[in-house]
PDB file of all heavy atoms in Angstrom:
ATOM      1  N   LYS U 217     -16.764  89.374-207.732  1.00  0.00           N
ATOM      2  CA  LYS U 217     -15.908  88.399-208.354  1.00  0.00           C
ATOM      3  C   LYS U 217     -15.177  89.063-209.566  1.00  0.00           C
ATOM      4  O   LYS U 217     -15.806  89.863-210.235  1.00  0.00           O
ATOM      5  CB  LYS U 217     -16.732  87.205-208.867  1.00  0.00           C
ATOM      6  CG  LYS U 217     -17.282  86.346-207.744  1.00  0.00           C
ATOM      7  CD  LYS U 217     -17.531  84.915-208.233  1.00  0.00           C
ATOM      8  CE  LYS U 217     -17.776  84.017-207.066  1.00  0.00           C
ATOM      9  NZ  LYS U 217     -19.025  84.263-206.325  1.00  0.00           N
ATOM     10  N   TRP U 218     -13.929  88.703-209.747  1.00  0.00           N
ATOM     11  CA  TRP U 218     -13.215  89.283-210.865  1.00  0.00           C
ATOM     12  C   TRP U 218     -12.307  88.243-211.460  1.00  0.00           C
ATOM     13  O   TRP U 218     -11.529  87.570-210.776  1.00  0.00           O
ATOM     14  CB  TRP U 218     -12.415  90.492-210.358  1.00  0.00           C
ATOM     15  CG  TRP U 218     -11.822  91.312-211.475  1.00  0.00           C
ATOM     16  CD1 TRP U 218     -12.491  92.052-212.415  1.00  0.00           C
ATOM     17  CD2 TRP U 218     -10.425  91.422-211.758  1.00  0.00           C
ATOM     18  NE1 TRP U 218     -11.628  92.662-213.267  1.00  0.00           N
ATOM     19  CE2 TRP U 218     -10.311  92.281-212.937  1.00  0.00           C
ATOM     20  CE3 TRP U 218      -9.261  90.944-211.214  1.00  0.00           C
ATOM     21  CZ2 TRP U 218      -9.133  92.654-213.476  1.00  0.00           C
ATOM     22  CZ3 TRP U 218      -8.036  91.315-211.770  1.00  0.00           C
ATOM     23  CH2 TRP U 218      -8.007  92.183-212.887  1.00  0.00           C
ATOM     24  N   ASN U 219     -12.411  88.068-212.764  1.00  0.00           N
ATOM     25  CA  ASN U 219     -11.532  87.089-213.366  1.00  0.00           C
ATOM     26  C   ASN U 219     -10.737  87.675-214.517  1.00  0.00           C
ATOM     27  O   ASN U 219     -10.446  87.063-215.523  1.00  0.00           O
ATOM     28  CB  ASN U 219     -12.262  85.829-213.798  1.00  0.00           C
ATOM     29  CG  ASN U 219     -13.503  86.169-214.607  1.00  0.00           C
ATOM     30  OD1 ASN U 219     -13.642  87.345-214.997  1.00  0.00           O
ATOM     31  ND2 ASN U 219     -14.318  85.191-214.862  1.00  0.00           N
ATOM     32  N   GLY U 220     -10.391  88.912-214.361  1.00  0.00           N
ATOM     33  CA  GLY U 220      -9.546  89.577-215.386  1.00  0.00           C
ATOM     34  C   GLY U 220      -8.119  89.014-215.404  1.00  0.00           C
ATOM     35  O   GLY U 220      -7.405  89.097-216.401  1.00  0.00           O
ATOM     36  N   GLY U 221      -7.683  88.443-214.311  1.00  0.00           N
ATOM     37  CA  GLY U 221      -6.327  87.928-214.221  1.00  0.00           C
ATOM     38  C   GLY U 221      -6.287  86.479-214.558  1.00  0.00           C
ATOM     39  O   GLY U 221      -7.068  85.965-215.370  1.00  0.00           O
ATOM     40  N   LYS U 222      -5.354  85.738-213.908  1.00  0.00           N
ATOM     41  CA  LYS U 222      -5.188  84.316-214.265  1.00  0.00           C
ATOM     42  C   LYS U 222      -6.346  83.498-213.698  1.00  0.00           C
ATOM     43  O   LYS U 222      -6.982  82.697-214.347  1.00  0.00           O
ATOM     44  CB  LYS U 222      -3.828  83.801-213.757  1.00  0.00           C
ATOM     45  CG  LYS U 222      -2.679  84.177-214.658  1.00  0.00           C
ATOM     46  CD  LYS U 222      -1.331  83.995-213.957  1.00  0.00           C
ATOM     47  CE  LYS U 222      -0.905  85.309-213.318  1.00  0.00           C
ATOM     48  NZ  LYS U 222      -0.042  85.298-212.178  1.00  0.00           N
ATOM     49  N   GLU U 223      -6.567  83.717-212.423  1.00  0.00           N
ATOM     50  CA  GLU U 223      -7.647  82.957-211.811  1.00  0.00           C
ATOM     51  C   GLU U 223      -8.697  83.873-211.244  1.00  0.00           C
ATOM     52  O   GLU U 223      -8.488  85.029-211.008  1.00  0.00           O
ATOM     53  CB  GLU U 223      -7.107  81.986-210.720  1.00  0.00           C
ATOM     54  CG  GLU U 223      -6.324  82.766-209.712  1.00  0.00           C
ATOM     55  CD  GLU U 223      -5.690  81.815-208.680  1.00  0.00           C
ATOM     56  OE1 GLU U 223      -6.446  80.962-208.104  1.00  0.00           O
ATOM     57  OE2 GLU U 223      -4.514  81.941-208.408  1.00  0.00           O
ATOM     58  N   GLU U 224      -9.872  83.324-211.009  1.00  0.00           N
ATOM     59  CA  GLU U 224     -11.014  84.173-210.505  1.00  0.00           C
ATOM     60  C   GLU U 224     -10.700  84.628-209.108  1.00  0.00           C
ATOM     61  O   GLU U 224     -10.280  83.823-208.240  1.00  0.00           O
ATOM     62  CB  GLU U 224     -12.299  83.402-210.539  1.00  0.00           C
ATOM     63  CG  GLU U 224     -13.478  84.342-210.354  1.00  0.00           C
ATOM     64  CD  GLU U 224     -14.786  83.617-210.374  1.00  0.00           C
ATOM     65  OE1 GLU U 224     -14.964  82.723-209.446  1.00  0.00           O
ATOM     66  OE2 GLU U 224     -15.616  83.861-211.235  1.00  0.00           O
ATOM     67  N   LEU U 225     -10.913  85.940-208.864  1.00  0.00           N
ATOM     68  CA  LEU U 225     -10.677  86.486-207.529  1.00  0.00           C
ATOM     69  C   LEU U 225     -12.048  86.717-206.844  1.00  0.00           C
ATOM     70  O   LEU U 225     -13.009  87.217-207.488  1.00  0.00           O
ATOM     71  CB  LEU U 225     -10.020  87.828-207.628  1.00  0.00           C
ATOM     72  CG  LEU U 225      -8.499  87.868-207.717  1.00  0.00           C
ATOM     73  CD1 LEU U 225      -8.029  89.292-207.762  1.00  0.00           C
ATOM     74  CD2 LEU U 225      -7.882  87.148-206.469  1.00  0.00           C
ATOM     75  N   GLU U 226     -12.120  86.375-205.586  1.00  0.00           N
ATOM     76  CA  GLU U 226     -13.301  86.691-204.839  1.00  0.00           C
ATOM     77  C   GLU U 226     -13.018  87.894-203.944  1.00  0.00           C
ATOM     78  O   GLU U 226     -12.049  87.817-203.190  1.00  0.00           O
ATOM     79  CB  GLU U 226     -13.826  85.487-204.025  1.00  0.00           C
ATOM     80  CG  GLU U 226     -15.274  85.579-203.750  1.00  0.00           C
ATOM     81  CD  GLU U 226     -15.764  84.429-202.882  1.00  0.00           C
ATOM     82  OE1 GLU U 226     -15.427  83.251-203.156  1.00  0.00           O
ATOM     83  OE2 GLU U 226     -16.458  84.727-201.901  1.00  0.00           O
TER      84      GLU U 226
END
Side-chain angles (χ1 to χ4, degrees):
Chain U
K217 289 207 167 65
W218 190 66
N219 49 12
K222 278 163 269 154
E223 54 185 310
E224 192 180 63
L225 274 181
E226 204 182 312

